[in-house]
Amino acid sequence: MVVGDILRSYSRERLLPATLLAGLCLILFFSDTTQRLDIWLLDLAGTLVKSERSSSVAIVEIDSESLREVGRWPWPRAEHARLIERLTAAGTRTLGYEVLFLDADQADAAGDGRLEEALGRHGRVVLPLTVEFDARLGLVEAYPIPRFAVAAAALGHVDRTPDFADGVFRGLYLYAGLGQPRWPAVPLAMLAVERSEVWTRIGRNGWRFGPVEDKGWVRDALTLPLFVLPLAEIPRFRALDVMDGRVGKQQLQGRYVLVGVTAEGLAQRFTASLAGNTMLVSGLELDALVLDSLLRGLWLQRLPPSLTALSCALLVFFTALGTVHPDSRHPLLKIIAGILAIVVAWGVTLVWHLWFPVVPALTALLLIFAIRLWLRLKRREREAFHDYLTRIANRRRFNQTLDLEWRSGLRSRKPLALILLDVDYFKRYNDSYGHSAGDTVLSRLSQVIAKAARRPRDLAARYGGEEFAVLLPETGAEQAVQLAERIRFAVESLAIPHAASGGVPFVTVSLGAASLVPHGDDHPGSLISLADMALYRAKERGRNRVELAPADADDGGATAVKESSGGAAATR
């Protein structure tokens, strides 16, 4: 039975709050309530990282000027071949040629042949593939024509889907495909062609936590590049200038080059977050920024939601388990340690190129911190105004309440009563039974007194040592005496043995009561003096009795006195 009570108490006071707070963490996580703050932290991480090295990526854009000079879009395949030949002669590294060649040019077979030769001669060209909707087949993957696909070094997808609710591009799925994510993104495919160290880390050995499917198109390995380089600092050249030889070899040699359309009306625009600022960029520019970040090693991969949610919830649960209970030791230090653990874990995962949203866990931990701080303040408030042993109001609370009720009586012109009571022969009790037993007696008596003062404004307080006080607003003398007698009788009925009392062999109390209507010429101390005088008289007349202070203490006039001894009562 005792074990069951302990377990129920533990469940109610620790497990339940900890479980609720862990549940709150999960709700915040899966509802994306705190996503904006997580996004802000992600953008902040991008602004804090600095890189002085110039970019090894270049953009060759087919802009409006190039279209005016060369001809309207789409260009003949021979023009594309001429551009690739120029880039080959310039000694470029891998070439991401983001132009779709989905059908053979029936009117210019020679142009197709020349483009095929140009692709093969360069040897490191990545061509894009995409997904299209077919009325009969539904979604289908659209590849370059076979001769181009064979001549190219690799194929890569150009799917750019914002992964956050605000629609801003911050990441790229490294793999995507119809049915299964088997195609790398163009920037990753370019690194794969080079067999670069970056590709080994992120492409071959990187984290792939499970695909995300959208109507059959499957994405995986979401990666969040940290765009530290302003777009303006990535070298860019017009396709027309490259084709006409106006771009020097040294400007392109050894660079990763991305080629694509940026002309207005032809290029799709995306809202991207670049170093904390949002701006519209073309898909070609976006891939160039992603490639630059991958080459610098400034990228993060998002942990799977299930793993992140579980980690955050467990941290919140165990932190709450050790801190929410009022009697837990060093709770604020534990909460601060939990918050620091989250922050440190976030920093470590950044070093490991991982990112997970930490704000749900931080929010729950801060809530724990606020709850624990509130509990501590309430406890201190309780300790400041309550007696530690008896758990009723202390002298400080009594004085404060007496002052408030006195002023209330001045306004209402209603009586205010006070009962002072003292444990009879308490020193003898302590000498005979020990101080521990004496503390137990005081604690039991305080429960009796508190039970008697049951109206909302009544106050039972420990006045000092073995002395107690009961403050009774809007109470006349007769009512005060009746309540005092009930307390005296209830204490006597406890039948707590007291062999050294010299009279009744039980613990008894003597009580003095006083009641008056506050007025401006008087002060609260006068009520205490009256009650104390009555208490002195109760002790003087044999103890274990109730005495009422005179209506006029100064003139010694007649007074109603309630005498009780061993249950007998008389009126004088």
Side-chain angles (χ1 to χ4, degrees), residues 153-176:
L155 301 181
H157 77 79
V158 287
D159 176 33
R160 307 176 186 97
T161 302
D163 191 57
F164 294 92
D166 62 357
V168 177
F169 181 93
R170 292 180 178 85
L172 178 72
Y173 285 96
L174 294 184
Y175 294 93

mmCIF file of all heavy atoms in Angstrom, residues 153-176:
data_model
loop_
_atom_site.group_PDB
_atom_site.id
_atom_site.type_symbol
_atom_site.label_atom_id
_atom_site.label_comp_id
_atom_site.label_asym_id
_atom_site.label_seq_id
_atom_site.Cartn_x
_atom_site.Cartn_y
_atom_site.Cartn_z
ATOM 1 N N ALA A 153 28.754 13.122 -69.442
ATOM 2 C CA ALA A 153 29.425 12.383 -68.365
ATOM 3 C C ALA A 153 28.442 11.918 -67.304
ATOM 4 O O ALA A 153 28.675 10.897 -66.642
ATOM 5 C CB ALA A 153 30.491 13.268 -67.728
ATOM 6 N N ALA A 154 27.330 12.640 -67.121
ATOM 7 C CA ALA A 154 26.336 12.277 -66.107
ATOM 8 C C ALA A 154 25.061 13.058 -66.361
ATOM 9 O O ALA A 154 25.051 14.051 -67.111
ATOM 10 C CB ALA A 154 26.864 12.562 -64.703
ATOM 11 N N LEU A 155 23.982 12.599 -65.737
ATOM 12 C CA LEU A 155 22.708 13.311 -65.758
ATOM 13 C C LEU A 155 22.386 13.744 -64.328
ATOM 14 O O LEU A 155 22.732 13.063 -63.361
ATOM 15 C CB LEU A 155 21.587 12.414 -66.293
ATOM 16 C CG LEU A 155 21.752 11.844 -67.706
ATOM 17 C CD1 LEU A 155 20.535 10.999 -68.065
ATOM 18 C CD2 LEU A 155 21.946 12.963 -68.728
ATOM 19 N N GLY A 156 21.704 14.874 -64.222
ATOM 20 C CA GLY A 156 21.329 15.368 -62.897
ATOM 21 C C GLY A 156 19.959 16.018 -62.931
ATOM 22 O O GLY A 156 19.559 16.589 -63.949
ATOM 23 N N HIS A 157 19.237 15.921 -61.813
ATOM 24 C CA HIS A 157 17.895 16.510 -61.773
ATOM 25 C C HIS A 157 18.000 18.009 -61.460
ATOM 26 O O HIS A 157 18.967 18.482 -60.858
ATOM 27 C CB HIS A 157 17.015 15.791 -60.749
ATOM 28 C CG HIS A 157 17.292 16.152 -59.319
ATOM 29 N ND1 HIS A 157 16.838 17.310 -58.732
ATOM 30 C CD2 HIS A 157 17.971 15.477 -58.350
ATOM 31 C CE1 HIS A 157 17.214 17.351 -57.474
ATOM 32 N NE2 HIS A 157 17.912 16.255 -57.207
ATOM 33 N N VAL A 158 16.983 18.735 -61.875
ATOM 34 C CA VAL A 158 16.926 20.182 -61.646
ATOM 35 C C VAL A 158 15.661 20.537 -60.855
ATOM 36 O O VAL A 158 15.082 21.610 -61.039
ATOM 37 C CB VAL A 158 16.973 20.972 -62.967
ATOM 38 C CG1 VAL A 158 18.364 20.932 -63.573
ATOM 39 C CG2 VAL A 158 15.932 20.436 -63.964
ATOM 40 N N ASP A 159 15.252 19.632 -59.965
ATOM 41 C CA ASP A 159 14.085 19.869 -59.114
ATOM 42 C C ASP A 159 14.487 20.803 -57.976
ATOM 43 O O ASP A 159 15.396 20.491 -57.200
ATOM 44 C CB ASP A 159 13.573 18.539 -58.557
ATOM 45 C CG ASP A 159 12.429 18.742 -57.580
ATOM 46 O OD1 ASP A 159 11.651 19.688 -57.776
ATOM 47 O OD2 ASP A 159 12.328 17.959 -56.615
ATOM 48 N N ARG A 160 13.833 21.937 -57.899
ATOM 49 C CA ARG A 160 14.129 22.904 -56.834
ATOM 50 C C ARG A 160 12.820 23.205 -56.107
ATOM 51 O O ARG A 160 12.045 24.058 -56.526
ATOM 52 C CB ARG A 160 14.738 24.175 -57.409
ATOM 53 C CG ARG A 160 15.967 23.888 -58.304
ATOM 54 C CD ARG A 160 16.496 25.140 -58.951
ATOM 55 N NE ARG A 160 17.575 24.848 -59.895
ATOM 56 C CZ ARG A 160 17.419 24.728 -61.207
ATOM 57 N NH1 ARG A 160 16.193 24.874 -61.723
ATOM 58 N NH2 ARG A 160 18.445 24.466 -61.979
ATOM 59 N N THR A 161 12.604 22.482 -55.015
ATOM 60 C CA THR A 161 11.356 22.597 -54.257
ATOM 61 C C THR A 161 11.651 23.176 -52.885
ATOM 62 O O THR A 161 12.429 22.594 -52.127
ATOM 63 C CB THR A 161 10.691 21.216 -54.091
ATOM 64 O OG1 THR A 161 10.459 20.657 -55.379
ATOM 65 C CG2 THR A 161 9.376 21.349 -53.326
ATOM 66 N N PRO A 162 11.058 24.330 -52.553
ATOM 67 C CA PRO A 162 11.260 24.879 -51.197
ATOM 68 C C PRO A 162 10.763 23.888 -50.149
ATOM 69 O O PRO A 162 9.687 23.310 -50.292
ATOM 70 C CB PRO A 162 10.412 26.159 -51.197
ATOM 71 C CG PRO A 162 10.220 26.495 -52.641
ATOM 72 C CD PRO A 162 10.191 25.186 -53.367
ATOM 73 N N ASP A 163 11.549 23.696 -49.095
ATOM 74 C CA ASP A 163 11.195 22.715 -48.083
ATOM 75 C C ASP A 163 10.632 23.369 -46.828
ATOM 76 O O ASP A 163 10.379 22.696 -45.848
ATOM 77 C CB ASP A 163 12.422 21.876 -47.716
ATOM 78 C CG ASP A 163 12.055 20.662 -46.873
ATOM 79 O OD1 ASP A 163 11.227 19.867 -47.339
ATOM 80 O OD2 ASP A 163 12.564 20.548 -45.745
ATOM 81 N N PHE A 164 10.438 24.680 -46.840
ATOM 82 C CA PHE A 164 9.932 25.366 -45.659
ATOM 83 C C PHE A 164 8.616 26.051 -45.993
ATOM 84 O O PHE A 164 8.342 26.392 -47.148
ATOM 85 C CB PHE A 164 10.949 26.383 -45.150
ATOM 86 C CG PHE A 164 12.210 25.749 -44.624
ATOM 87 C CD1 PHE A 164 13.303 25.552 -45.444
ATOM 88 C CD2 PHE A 164 12.285 25.338 -43.311
ATOM 89 C CE1 PHE A 164 14.451 24.962 -44.960
ATOM 90 C CE2 PHE A 164 13.428 24.746 -42.808
ATOM 91 C CZ PHE A 164 14.519 24.559 -43.642
ATOM 92 N N ALA A 165 7.828 26.263 -44.944
ATOM 93 C CA ALA A 165 6.469 26.784 -45.131
ATOM 94 C C ALA A 165 6.452 28.180 -45.729
ATOM 95 O O ALA A 165 5.466 28.582 -46.344
ATOM 96 C CB ALA A 165 5.720 26.771 -43.797
ATOM 97 N N ASP A 166 7.522 28.946 -45.535
ATOM 98 C CA ASP A 166 7.522 30.315 -46.055
ATOM 99 C C ASP A 166 7.821 30.389 -47.547
ATOM 100 O O ASP A 166 7.829 31.470 -48.127
ATOM 101 C CB ASP A 166 8.503 31.185 -45.274
ATOM 102 C CG ASP A 166 9.945 30.693 -45.384
ATOM 103 O OD1 ASP A 166 10.168 29.640 -46.018
ATOM 104 O OD2 ASP A 166 10.843 31.365 -44.837
ATOM 105 N N GLY A 167 8.085 29.232 -48.184
ATOM 106 C CA GLY A 167 8.314 29.202 -49.619
ATOM 107 C C GLY A 167 9.669 29.712 -50.059
ATOM 108 O O GLY A 167 9.911 29.876 -51.263
ATOM 109 N N VAL A 168 10.572 29.951 -49.120
ATOM 110 C CA VAL A 168 11.912 30.442 -49.450
ATOM 111 C C VAL A 168 12.852 29.250 -49.626
ATOM 112 O O VAL A 168 12.860 28.335 -48.806
ATOM 113 C CB VAL A 168 12.437 31.388 -48.352
ATOM 114 C CG1 VAL A 168 13.853 31.839 -48.657
ATOM 115 C CG2 VAL A 168 11.516 32.594 -48.222
ATOM 116 N N PHE A 169 13.627 29.283 -50.676
ATOM 117 C CA PHE A 169 14.567 28.202 -50.954
ATOM 118 C C PHE A 169 15.769 28.314 -50.016
ATOM 119 O O PHE A 169 16.473 29.308 -49.996
ATOM 120 C CB PHE A 169 15.040 28.266 -52.403
ATOM 121 C CG PHE A 169 15.991 27.162 -52.779
ATOM 122 C CD1 PHE A 169 15.517 25.984 -53.344
ATOM 123 C CD2 PHE A 169 17.348 27.283 -52.548
ATOM 124 C CE1 PHE A 169 16.388 24.968 -53.681
ATOM 125 C CE2 PHE A 169 18.221 26.269 -52.883
ATOM 126 C CZ PHE A 169 17.742 25.105 -53.449
ATOM 127 N N ARG A 170 15.971 27.268 -49.227
ATOM 128 C CA ARG A 170 17.150 27.201 -48.360
ATOM 129 C C ARG A 170 17.895 25.887 -48.524
ATOM 130 O O ARG A 170 18.979 25.728 -47.976
ATOM 131 C CB ARG A 170 16.747 27.358 -46.892
ATOM 132 C CG ARG A 170 16.241 28.751 -46.543
ATOM 133 C CD ARG A 170 15.860 28.846 -45.076
ATOM 134 N NE ARG A 170 15.419 30.197 -44.751
ATOM 135 C CZ ARG A 170 14.188 30.630 -44.929
ATOM 136 N NH1 ARG A 170 13.280 29.818 -45.445
ATOM 137 N NH2 ARG A 170 13.849 31.865 -44.620
ATOM 138 N N GLY A 171 17.303 24.949 -49.219
ATOM 139 C CA GLY A 171 17.938 23.646 -49.334
ATOM 140 C C GLY A 171 17.661 22.993 -50.670
ATOM 141 O O GLY A 171 16.841 23.451 -51.465
ATOM 142 N N LEU A 172 18.356 21.908 -50.896
ATOM 143 C CA LEU A 172 18.247 21.179 -52.154
ATOM 144 C C LEU A 172 18.268 19.687 -51.841
ATOM 145 O O LEU A 172 19.109 19.223 -51.057
ATOM 146 C CB LEU A 172 19.430 21.527 -53.066
ATOM 147 C CG LEU A 172 19.493 20.800 -54.411
ATOM 148 C CD1 LEU A 172 18.410 21.330 -55.342
ATOM 149 C CD2 LEU A 172 20.861 20.981 -55.050
ATOM 150 N N TYR A 173 17.315 18.957 -52.420
ATOM 151 C CA TYR A 173 17.360 17.508 -52.293
ATOM 152 C C TYR A 173 18.440 16.975 -53.229
ATOM 153 O O TYR A 173 18.361 17.149 -54.442
ATOM 154 C CB TYR A 173 16.002 16.903 -52.644
ATOM 155 C CG TYR A 173 14.960 17.101 -51.565
ATOM 156 C CD1 TYR A 173 14.051 18.153 -51.632
ATOM 157 C CD2 TYR A 173 14.905 16.249 -50.472
ATOM 158 C CE1 TYR A 173 13.106 18.335 -50.631
ATOM 159 C CE2 TYR A 173 13.961 16.423 -49.473
ATOM 160 C CZ TYR A 173 13.070 17.468 -49.555
ATOM 161 O OH TYR A 173 12.144 17.654 -48.569
ATOM 162 N N LEU A 174 19.445 16.342 -52.646
ATOM 163 C CA LEU A 174 20.575 15.877 -53.449
ATOM 164 C C LEU A 174 20.187 14.769 -54.406
ATOM 165 O O LEU A 174 20.841 14.570 -55.431
ATOM 166 C CB LEU A 174 21.706 15.391 -52.534
ATOM 167 C CG LEU A 174 22.387 16.455 -51.677
ATOM 168 C CD1 LEU A 174 23.534 15.845 -50.896
ATOM 169 C CD2 LEU A 174 22.884 17.608 -52.538
ATOM 170 N N TYR A 175 19.129 14.041 -54.070
ATOM 171 C CA TYR A 175 18.689 12.948 -54.935
ATOM 172 C C TYR A 175 17.184 13.060 -55.150
ATOM 173 O O TYR A 175 16.438 13.433 -54.244
ATOM 174 C CB TYR A 175 19.017 11.588 -54.308
ATOM 175 C CG TYR A 175 20.496 11.318 -54.206
ATOM 176 C CD1 TYR A 175 21.190 11.636 -53.053
ATOM 177 C CD2 TYR A 175 21.202 10.756 -55.273
ATOM 178 C CE1 TYR A 175 22.549 11.404 -52.950
ATOM 179 C CE2 TYR A 175 22.559 10.522 -55.183
ATOM 180 C CZ TYR A 175 23.229 10.849 -54.013
ATOM 181 O OH TYR A 175 24.575 10.631 -53.940
ATOM 182 N N ALA A 176 16.762 12.708 -56.354
ATOM 183 C CA ALA A 176 15.334 12.700 -56.685
ATOM 184 C C ALA A 176 15.128 11.786 -57.876
ATOM 185 O O ALA A 176 16.070 11.462 -58.617
ATOM 186 C CB ALA A 176 14.830 14.109 -56.987
#
